[in-house]
Amino acid sequence: MSVAILGAGAFGTALAVALASAGQPVTLWGRNAETMAEMQKTREAPRLPGIALPPEITISAELEAVAQAETLLLAVPMQTLSALLHDIAAPLNGQHLVACCKGIDLATGTGPSHVIAQAKPQAVPAVLTGPSFAADIARGLPTALTLACADPEIGHTLQHALSTPTLRLYRSTDVAGAELGGALKNVMAIACGACIGAGLGDSARAALMTRGFAEMTRFAVFYGAQPETLAGLSGLGDLALTCTSELSRNYRFGQALGRGENFDASVTVEGAATARAVTAIAQQQSLSLPISTAVAALVEQRATVGEVLQDLLSRPLKEE
């Protein structure tokens, strides 16, 4: 099976390194031709310092040629996924398109599998998600992810094609649960980062993680997900990782909010857009998502950490 990765950021490059290190030839595509030429020359990735690119990785900036691969791993930010798919002229008939981005599209209010299905209806969408940092994957540290595809046979094929000795994929048919777990945990990571950044303590963070997980599950089940999926790698596992580590961009962004500091605008923070999208959906569907709503207010600078904390603590007491 031929494999190409669209998106030469840290995560896409890490996946390419992991697959190539296991002997799988892979093509890595990036939009910036100059950057890709430099990577081809130096065999180094600017987003993964200290990691050598194995010879099994072919580096290219030619989108149409790369998109001919049987399996495409889409490792671009969620808010650019639709544009990338529309940039590909070919219909991608019967090819496997695996979304490696986490979030909800602001324009449509949907996850990556729906964006893929709308843009390329002839393709077979899947989602790769779970607790992982790019540097860990690239260095060959043990990592487990969820590979979700509604077609069990295709899911089985992708699971075996994309697993490596150190990258273990668990198969699921619950695409909605997998992608919503990956999207919503970023919102909770921002909340937890703000909590620690504001000096509210680890106990408050634990409460946010726990109530945030309940909120994630409530939202996902409303959209047809299985609750056990949220209790797996793509939900609880990813939540535990990103709410506790400064390697998480969403967590660091939350810390900056909590401290009242500026954050590097060039860094992609998927949870910020997801919080806005989820809050809009919650209002339309009359869903109670107090933490997501608070994060959206922080992101849009409609409230301070102190104000959203007061709102959360003044909610009516209830059973767990």
Side-chain angles (χ1 to χ4, degrees), residues 28-141:
L28 178 64
W29 172 87
R31 191 176 299 277
N32 188 307
E34 183 178 335
T35 299
M36 302 311 288
E38 184 67 16
M39 289 173 63
Q40 175 65 34
K41 177 182 177 181
T42 64
R43 306 306 295 181
E44 295 179 352
R47 298 290 298 277
L48 286 175
I51 300 295
L53 302 181
E56 290 84 0
I57 299 177
T58 299
I59 298 172
S60 175
E62 301 297 326
L63 181 58
E64 291 299 329
V66 172
Q68 300 304 311
E70 295 170 281
T71 296
L72 301 179
L73 303 185
L74 307 174
V76 297
M78 181 66 216
Q79 303 308 320
T80 68
L81 176 61
S82 179
L84 171 66
L85 293 170
H86 284 96
D87 283 345
I88 301 173
L92 306 182
N93 188 25
Q95 288 167 270
H96 306 141
L97 269 62
V98 184
C100 303
C101 45
K102 300 172 181 179
I104 295 177
D105 181 50
L106 275 171
T108 63
T110 61
S113 64
H114 184 269
V115 172
I116 292 171
Q118 289 294 106
K120 301 294 180 184
Q122 301 93 337
V124 180
V127 173
L128 183 64
T129 185
S132 55
F133 289 138
D136 290 349
I137 292 175
R139 290 184 170 86
L141 300 179

Side-chain angles (χ1 to χ4, degrees), residues 205-255:
R205 174 169 53 182
L208 277 173
M209 289 175 65
T210 306
R211 298 310 305 161
F213 178 68
E215 190 169 301
M216 290 167 55
T217 304
R218 182 163 58 249
F219 184 91
V221 169
F222 180 83
Y223 279 92
Q226 300 299 314
E228 54 266 30
T229 303
L230 275 296
L233 290 166
S234 60
L236 182 59
D238 216 352
L239 181 74
L241 182 68
T242 55
C243 289
T244 58
S245 174
E246 292 190 1
L247 291 178
S248 164
R249 294 168 296 181
N250 291 278
Y251 181 77
R252 294 200 311 274
F253 174 69
Q255 282 186 311

Side-chain angles (χ1 to χ4, degrees), residues 1 16 26 69 100 130 132 159 172 184-185 188 195 204-205 219 221 225 243 265 268-269 283 285-286 289 304 314 318:
M1 176 188 294
V26 60
C100 303
S132 55
Q159 179 188 32
S172 172
L184 296 170
K185 62 84 187 178
M188 304 310 159
C195 170
R205 174 169 53 182
F219 184 91
V221 169
C243 289
T268 300
V269 181
Q283 291 173 346
Q285 301 296 339
S286 299
L289 303 177
T304 65
S314 62
K318 53 190 271 189

